[in-house]
Amino acid sequence: MIKPIKNSILIIVILPFLIAFNFPQDKSKTIEIEALKTEPFKYYQFEAETTKGVIGEIYLNGKKLHEFKKLRSQITDNRAQTLIKNGNNEITLKILSIDDEVEKDYFSECVVFIAIHGVNEKIFPSKETQIVRIKWNPDKDQKKGVLKYVFELKR
């Protein structure tokens, strides 16, 4: 009689504790994408735009290129020049928080826009120079996540 009582006390005490601290883990998701152009280029540029209400980071082959914190952000720089490698490349999008009322950007029609540009002469990046394009929107009720976009380029 005492043994069933001890077991039920353990279940009553430990089970709620385990449930309370067993947060659902957001698993990373790997997505293979095809580059728009795969031929080698002389110059590479990174571009990112985020809308208001999102906190996160963007990495290219393990190196952090952009961090965004709730405010609308936009960046274009040439750090991709040294990070792009011949063969497989990886863009990691780490979403740490998303507001309930986040809206898509009017022009890009997404919450996070990422592009890699490839050119052979020094010109301003445009839609025509994009060799990788990622448009990300959260799933319904999504608050965080890690997405890895893998693509192949020749260098």
Side-chain angles (χ1 to χ4, degrees):
M1 177 83 172
I2 294 177
K3 192 172 187 177
I5 293 173
K6 284 182 181 177
N7 288 342
S8 65
I9 291 172
L10 280 174
I11 291 172
I12 292 171
V13 172
I14 293 177
L15 191 60
F17 181 78
L18 291 174
I19 293 171
F21 291 102
N22 188 15
F23 299 111
Q25 297 290 324
D26 285 324
K27 296 179 182 176
S28 66
K29 184 176 179 182
T30 302
I31 302 164
E32 287 187 36
I33 57 174
E34 192 171 322
L36 302 171
K37 301 172 189 172
T38 57
E39 66 264 15
F41 291 96
K42 190 173 180 181
Y43 304 107
Y44 293 93
Q45 278 194 320
F46 167 78
E47 175 187 9
E49 296 178 23
T50 65
T51 60
K52 185 173 140 185
V54 183
I55 299 174
E57 303 165 340
I58 301 171
Y59 295 80
L60 175 59
N61 293 329
K63 173 86 170 157
K64 187 190 317 184
L65 292 182
H66 186 50
E67 185 173 2
F68 43 99
K69 296 181 179 182
K70 293 251 185 199
L71 299 175
R72 186 181 188 287
S73 69
Q74 185 173 7
I75 183 172
T76 302
D77 69 26
N78 63 354
R79 286 184 285 172
Q81 179 68 27
T82 57
L83 297 174
I84 292 288
K85 58 186 180 183
N86 190 34
N88 286 335
N89 291 275
E90 180 181 276
I91 294 175
T92 304
L93 174 61
K94 288 186 179 181
I95 301 297
L96 305 173
S97 171
I98 305 169
D99 285 351
D100 292 333
E101 303 287 323
V102 71
E103 294 182 13
K104 296 179 184 179
D105 182 67
Y106 179 77
F107 294 106
S108 66
E109 298 177 351
C110 60
V111 174
V112 178
F113 174 79
I114 304 169
I116 302 289
H117 297 270
V119 294
N120 288 318
E121 51 190 73
K122 293 183 179 183
I123 59 172
F124 289 106
S126 67
K127 191 172 184 176
E128 290 78 31
T129 63
Q130 292 176 357
I131 56 175
V132 173
R133 181 184 314 134
I134 298 167
K135 292 184 173 188
W136 180 82
N137 289 306
D139 294 332
K140 186 176 182 179
D141 299 327
Q142 183 178 0
K143 295 296 177 196
K144 60 173 78 172
V146 177
L147 297 145
K148 295 181 180 184
Y149 296 91
V150 179
F151 56 96
E152 190 170 329
L153 291 177
K154 293 179 185 170
R155 180 82 189 196

